[in-house]
Amino acid sequence: RRYPPGAELVSLSGNRSLMDGNDVTAVLREIRKPSPLRGQQDGVGTFREIFFQWASTMRGKFNLLVLPHHTQVVCLLIFQRFLEAERLPTTPHALIAQVGTGEGKSMIVAALAIYVVVVLRKKAHVVVDDETLLERDFGTFKRLFDNFQVQVPPARPNMASTVRPLTAVLCTSEDKCGGENDPCIKARVDPDADICYCEAKHVQSFYASIARGSRDFDGYRERVLILDEVDALVIDEEPNEAFVYPNEDLSHMATSVAEALARGTPVNELGSVCGSGHPAARRVCSEVAKEWQRGKQFQDGEDFVYSKELGRYCQLQAGRANVKAWSLALECRNFQDGM
């Protein structure tokens, strides 16, 4: 029989017991190196060592065998495919994964950060925009990070490469940092750290200092930004502008769709309006058309209110105008009424 979750990694024969220390040790060995008896291609690849180290860490701490869920394995393999794909102007440069409560998102984030550093040899910035959760996650996975090493390229062609310990740091407030002697706790993003757990404000400050020219910068290609709770940073009512970038081509396309709808163009004929080779063209047409109809249903005084200062409609929340709140439907309503 198989042992779920974790069947992607090991097979439990009928005479194995998860209550027996020797059998658990055998399972851990199989996680690290798949048995040739399985008779099938190993698709987990480089994540086996990460899963093994995590299982060993959890066994040492809680005396439990912890294997990754199917969701965790599949999610990491999707990110691996995305990160290793060729980068083209028309391909996506960001990937969002939806992970349910209790499915182990924090472990996915930590494993992905290790993969970025050890396999891709890049730096990883992990943004958790809640100080309590940030410290909890870093404390949970610091022991896992300490089990890995990073290969150092040789200084000369005829020299052998070396390895060094993976470095992971936690960015926290100045007050907390001042009272700690731990070298892993920093007040700002450490540009030399392999993995940096931080809040959005730390990343903003780091790249702002680069924009001011106050530090050397080797480019964005050598860093991967991993956002925990991405909706809180880029989707919710007050998105963090450091992570939201305008797209001029798609903005023009959305405006063209809105103009066509204002002229009475049927939805099924919008394809000719946004007949672009851009991979997001169909989605833009669909979203604008859907939100255009929603905007038409909005009621003055219930869903929005006119702001004299801004000369446009603002969203109503709890009976008060929220000038920072944004929705595509309200933008469509402003467009419909010539605001």
Side-chain angles (χ1 to χ4, degrees):
R1 68 182 176 86
R2 288 187 176 277
Y3 173 67
E8 301 92 339
L9 301 173
V10 297
S11 295
L12 286 185
S13 57
N15 58 355
R16 276 184 180 177
S17 170
L18 292 178
M19 303 304 292
D20 184 278
N22 292 329
D23 285 346
V24 171
T25 300
V27 169
L28 289 175
R29 284 199 302 267
E30 189 175 341
I31 292 176
R32 197 172 204 178
K33 187 176 181 181
S35 170
L37 299 179
R38 297 194 66 180
Q40 56 188 14
Q41 185 177 0
D42 179 32
V44 181
T46 55
F47 289 107
R48 279 192 175 273
E49 182 66 20
I50 299 175
F51 296 150
F52 166 78
Q53 293 294 349
W54 174 237
S56 299
T57 298
M58 296 301 287
R59 186 190 184 193
K61 187 174 182 179
F62 300 109
N63 197 27
L64 293 172
L65 177 61
V66 178
L67 299 178
H69 292 278
H70 307 303
T71 300
Q72 293 171 316
V73 176
V74 172
C75 185
L76 286 167
L77 293 177
I78 292 172
F79 272 106
Q80 177 188 25
R81 178 75 175 268
F82 169 75
L83 289 169
E84 293 182 356
E86 182 183 3
R87 284 286 172 269
L88 300 172
T90 56
T91 58
H93 284 59
L95 180 64
I96 298 177
Q98 182 176 357
V99 180
T101 302
E103 290 185 317
K105 175 164 55 66
S106 296
M107 187 271 182
I108 293 174
V109 169
L112 184 60
I114 294 172
Y115 167 78
V116 166
V117 173
V118 175
V119 178
L120 301 184
R121 299 182 189 178
K122 298 183 178 184
K123 309 288 187 186
H125 289 163
V126 178
V127 175
V128 182
D129 218 31
D130 181 288
E131 189 174 18
T132 301
L133 296 179
L134 175 70
E135 295 176 3
R136 182 205 68 180
D137 287 355
F138 182 79
T140 299
F141 295 102
K142 179 62 169 64
R143 294 174 64 182
L144 175 63
F145 299 148
D146 291 341
N147 290 329
F148 286 88
Q149 294 182 317
V150 181
Q151 191 170 24
V152 179
R156 298 174 184 172
N158 58 343
M159 295 177 63
S161 60
T162 58
V163 294
R164 60 169 177 79
L166 183 151
T167 57
V169 300
L170 167 68
C171 285
T172 186
S173 63
E174 294 275 2
D175 294 339
K176 290 187 178 182
C177 187
E180 298 280 352
N181 295 321
D182 190 341
C184 296
I185 297 179
K186 305 287 185 180
R188 295 176 179 82
V189 171
D190 183 350
D192 298 320
D194 296 308
I195 298 175
C196 184
Y197 270 64
C198 56
E199 295 178 65
K201 61 185 179 183
H202 298 121
V203 175
Q204 286 180 260
S205 176
F206 176 71
Y207 288 109
S209 66
I210 292 169
R212 292 193 298 267
S214 57
R215 67 167 75 241
D216 293 332
F217 186 55
D218 53 3
Y220 293 99
R221 291 181 178 274
E222 301 308 312
R223 287 177 169 81
V224 173
L225 183 66
I226 304 173
L227 302 180
D228 193 352
E229 298 291 352
V230 65
D231 52 340
L233 290 169
V234 301
I235 299 175
D236 286 351
E237 295 167 359
E238 298 183 26
N240 192 309
E241 293 182 359
F243 301 94
V244 182
Y245 301 93
N247 186 306
E248 188 174 344
D249 292 339
L250 294 182
S251 295
H252 286 313
M253 187 184 302
T255 302
S256 298
V257 173
E259 291 172 342
L261 290 169
R263 294 193 300 267
T265 303
V267 173
N268 59 1
E269 296 180 12
L270 291 177
S272 60
V273 178
C274 51
S276 165
H278 197 286
R282 290 182 61 186
R283 179 171 59 84
V284 169
C285 285
S286 174
E287 287 296 315
V288 173
K290 180 179 69 174
E291 298 304 306
W292 182 270
Q293 294 303 319
R294 278 192 62 221
K296 276 187 173 182
Q297 305 303 318
F298 279 1
Q299 298 295 317
D300 187 4
E302 294 183 10
D303 302 300
F304 64 87
V305 65
Y306 178 73
S307 170
K308 292 182 179 179
E309 292 80 6
L310 299 177
R312 56 190 290 109
Y313 299 143
C314 295
Q315 191 166 323
L316 269 178
Q317 292 179 332
R320 302 179 63 180
N322 185 348
V323 297
K324 293 184 178 180
W326 185 92
S327 75
L328 181 55
L330 187 58
E331 288 297 301
C332 288
R333 183 55 182 263
N334 274 301
F335 193 93
Q336 291 163 10
D337 293 353
M339 298 295 174

